[in-house]
């Protein structure tokens, strides 16, 4: 039997339930716990990774009472996250994408840190940061000054300064001949994958 969050909050805070809310819970599962202080302990079982805790603050006069409760949330392991769902929608929306602008690069100072996609940044990899393209999509970047081109995976967000449209990893910038100049005019087009 699942409890509504309202019901758990009401029990924990020692509030009374309206008859409408009381009907939602089987009578055998409700006990007369006056202060509700042990509710969280009663709700939590050994499978604690499926629990989210919620802190309640109740102010009465000069006294402040804080209580943490637990609510079980069953999430199927194969269910995609909200971010993954949004990325899928965004990915389908911007299949045909092209852009021209300035690209810079970043390397050693971010090497080993987490990117926006959750991957570890490898400065020698063929990756890039873009402000709006879906994470984990692929783009072909072409240096307009020398004609060199490389396909990179968008796994990070940026650049967030100036009028630049792309931040390349050191590895991608090196292939495009951008490392010495630091910035180059590039064209970007969306592709299906690294072999496109």
């Amino acid at each position: 039997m699942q409890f509504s969050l309202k019901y758990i909050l009401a029990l924990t805070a020692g509030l009374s339930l309206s008859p409408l809310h009381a009907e939602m819970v089987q009578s055998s599962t409700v006990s007369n716990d006056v202060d509700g202080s042990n509710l969280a302990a009663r709700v939590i079982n050994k499978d604690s990774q499926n629990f989210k805790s919620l802190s309640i603050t109740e102010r009465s006069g000069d006294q402040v009472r804080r209580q943490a409760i637990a609510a079980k949330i069953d999430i199927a392991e194969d269910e995609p996250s909200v971010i993954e769902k949004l990325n899928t929608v965004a990915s389908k929306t911007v299949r045909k994408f092209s852009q021209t602008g300035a690209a810079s690069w970043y390397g050693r100072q971010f090497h080993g840190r987490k990117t926006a996609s959750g991957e570890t940044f490898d400065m020698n990899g063929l990756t890039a940061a873009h402000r709006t393209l879906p994470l984990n999509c692929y783009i072909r970047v072409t240096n307009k000054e020398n004609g060199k081109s490389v396909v990179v995976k968008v796994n990070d967000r940026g650049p967030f300064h100036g009028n630049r449209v792309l931040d390349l990893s050191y590895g991608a910038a090196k292939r495009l001949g951008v490392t010495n100049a630091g910035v180059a005019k590039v064209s970007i087009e969306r592709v299906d994958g690294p072999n496109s």
Side-chain angles (χ1 to χ4, degrees), residues 7-24:
Y7 178 74
I8 293 173
L9 289 173
L11 271 181
T12 303
L15 302 173
S16 61
L17 292 174
S18 69
L20 175 66
H21 291 112
E23 290 173 15
M24 295 166 51

Side-chain angles (χ1 to χ4, degrees), residues 147-168:
K148 291 183 179 179
S149 181
V150 66
V151 173
V152 298
K153 181 180 183 180
V154 175
N155 70 347
D156 209 355
R157 290 293 179 222
F160 296 112
H161 58 283
N163 58 355
R164 298 174 188 169
V165 297
L166 195 67
D167 251 347
L168 297 161

Side-chain angles (χ1 to χ4, degrees), residues 61-154:
D62 291 338
Q63 294 181 336
V64 175
R65 188 178 91 180
R66 287 190 176 87
Q67 232 176 343
I69 65 164
K72 185 169 184 175
I73 300 170
D74 292 319
I75 300 172
E77 289 187 27
D78 58 345
E79 172 114 3
S81 72
V82 173
I83 299 295
E84 289 171 350
K85 288 179 183 177
L86 288 173
N87 276 336
T88 302
V89 170
S91 186
K92 290 178 181 171
T93 305
V94 291
R95 281 274 176 227
K96 298 198 185 291
F97 176 87
S98 64
Q99 186 177 25
T100 302
S104 53
W105 63 273
Y106 63 123
R108 187 171 292 118
Q109 72 274 27
F110 294 99
H111 187 71
R113 291 187 186 178
K114 292 286 181 196
T115 63
S117 70
E119 296 176 352
T120 302
F121 177 66
D122 176 6
M123 64 182 265
N124 298 306
L126 298 178
T127 59
H130 192 274
R131 288 188 187 124
T132 57
L133 278 170
L135 293 173
N136 301 318
C137 76
Y138 290 91
I139 55 175
R140 176 177 290 112
V141 183
T142 304
N143 185 337
K144 301 287 268 179
E145 295 165 13
N146 62 19
K148 291 183 179 179
S149 181
V150 66
V151 173
V152 298
K153 181 180 183 180
V154 175

